[in-house]
Amino acid sequence: MKYNLEKLIKIEKNYNKVRESNKILKDGSHMYLLRKMKKEFEEAKNIYLEKKAKIEEMESKCIKINKNIDLEKEEQKQSEYKLYNECGSNFGMMAKLEEQIEKHKSKIIEMENECIEFLEKEEEFKKEKEKLRQQLLKVKEDFYNCKEDASKKITKAKQEIVNVQREVDKLELEIPKEILEKLNLLRNEKGSAVVEVKKGVCMGCKIKISLITLNKLNNSKEIVCCENCGRIIYLGES
Ligand SMILES: [Zn+2]
């Protein structure tokens, strides 16, 4: 009978493995994680696109300012030409032109400063954009790693169930029919059929077993059951 007990323990351990594998198959946590990562990716992507649009807006503003600077410079040149070539001794016209030239000059400086400010900001934005791009790549990589990891786990769990079931089928062939029926009944009712006794406590129902049962466990060659929960019990290595 002790020979059978070893097989019963093996069967029980295999059923526990099946339960663990089923847990992995039913576990939706990786799906949750993937969805969360996808959302994170979308959010980061939106921020990235916003930054990109802002940079483009700044670039077009700068182009516009530069065009205006060119226009202003052209007008300044014309005024200067008039000042040196067309005024003769008309002091009134000279003063007017000089005033215009000064106005053009200060306007040009103002626009150039504005442009420099834009360029500095643009530089900053470009750095931020690059950081965001790296972040996006990282999230994407994590997403695919997580997906691959989950699919590996699932494949492994499925394979484990097939392997374990094969072993259980083989072992069960060698167990007497009435014991097998008892095992199945216990497993259906309580979730486990064969449990260890640790420090005098049944690991199935967590209740201390009596001395009589403990003696039986130590000496009997029969299969012993917990007097409280009915599960088949055995003493562990210790
Ligand atoms: Zn028990």
Side-chain angles (χ1 to χ4, degrees):
M1 266 312 179
K2 287 276 172 184
Y3 169 69
N4 267 339
L5 183 63
E6 301 233 324
K7 281 179 191 156
L8 296 187
I9 295 169
K10 244 187 207 170
I11 290 174
E12 186 70 19
K13 281 184 177 160
N14 278 325
Y15 271 108
N16 287 342
K17 276 188 202 162
V18 170
R19 201 177 307 131
E20 285 308 308
S21 295
N22 273 326
K23 249 190 228 164
I24 292 171
L25 292 185
K26 278 184 200 146
D27 180 18
S29 66
H30 63 276
M31 282 311 295
Y32 168 76
L33 201 64
L34 285 174
R35 269 198 297 269
K36 199 177 139 206
M37 280 174 145
K38 204 165 181 189
K39 205 177 149 207
E40 231 176 273
F41 180 79
E42 290 302 325
E43 278 167 6
K45 194 173 140 194
N46 284 339
I47 298 172
Y48 173 81
L49 290 176
E50 260 171 42
K51 201 62 69 175
K52 198 175 155 218
K54 263 189 192 155
I55 290 170
E56 278 163 5
E57 193 190 315
M58 280 179 169
E59 276 169 352
S60 75
K61 263 185 193 164
C62 262
I63 290 170
K64 226 180 190 172
I65 294 171
N66 275 322
K67 263 185 200 159
N68 287 337
I69 290 174
D70 286 344
L71 282 176
E72 207 67 36
K73 276 183 180 167
E74 194 49 48
E75 280 174 28
Q76 185 192 334
K77 242 190 230 165
Q78 280 170 14
S79 299
E80 278 167 350
Y81 180 85
K82 278 184 196 162
L83 177 67
Y84 300 124
N85 300 295
E86 292 174 7
C87 281
S89 51
N90 186 341
F91 293 111
M93 194 179 167
M94 271 181 174
K96 214 174 158 192
L97 281 168
E98 270 168 357
E99 194 187 323
Q100 269 177 10
I101 290 165
E102 278 317 304
K103 265 188 191 162
H104 286 311
K105 274 184 186 167
S106 65
K107 213 167 178 189
I108 287 166
I109 289 170
E110 198 182 297
M111 283 192 288
E112 275 173 347
N113 283 340
E114 200 182 353
C115 210
I116 287 167
E117 233 172 80
F118 271 132
L119 286 174
E120 277 171 356
K121 229 184 238 169
E122 195 193 335
E123 200 55 41
E124 205 179 291
F125 276 27
K126 273 184 177 167
K127 270 183 203 157
E128 284 170 24
K129 187 183 141 203
E130 177 55 23
K131 228 173 162 181
L132 285 166
R133 198 180 69 88
Q134 297 292 345
Q135 231 173 9
L136 273 178
L137 286 177
K138 173 90 176 59
V139 176
K140 204 172 168 184
E141 200 188 307
D142 285 351
F143 177 82
Y144 283 111
N145 284 343
C146 180
K147 207 174 163 185
E148 204 187 300
D149 193 43
S151 110
K152 265 186 200 160
K153 264 189 202 159
I154 287 171
T155 310
K156 201 179 151 206
K158 280 183 182 164
Q159 192 55 49
E160 172 99 335
I161 289 173
V162 172
N163 292 344
V164 165
Q165 196 56 53
R166 206 176 287 150
E167 209 183 323
V168 166
D169 289 346
K170 224 163 71 187
L171 283 164
E172 283 184 346
L173 280 178
E174 299 167 34
I175 307 292
K177 203 179 158 217
E178 67 274 13
I179 294 179
L180 212 55
E181 275 170 4
K182 186 178 169 59
L183 279 181
N184 287 335
L185 201 73
L186 278 167
R187 199 170 294 114
N188 286 339
E189 267 182 14
K190 302 176 192 294
S192 59
V194 186
V195 295
E196 197 179 340
V197 169
K198 273 186 189 165
K199 292 181 181 166
V201 175
C202 163
M203 287 295 110
C205 61
K206 312 286 180 204
I207 285 175
K208 215 171 167 72
I209 56 165
S210 69
L211 269 177
I212 300 168
T213 311
L214 198 60
N215 277 336
K216 263 197 220 167
L217 266 180
N218 279 320
N219 305 313
S220 169
K221 296 207 176 335
E222 295 294 310
I223 279 171
V224 182
C225 294
C226 168
E227 65 257 37
N228 179 59
C229 68
R231 289 180 179 93
I232 294 169
I233 46 178
Y234 65 94
L235 286 171
E237 293 297 309
S238 54

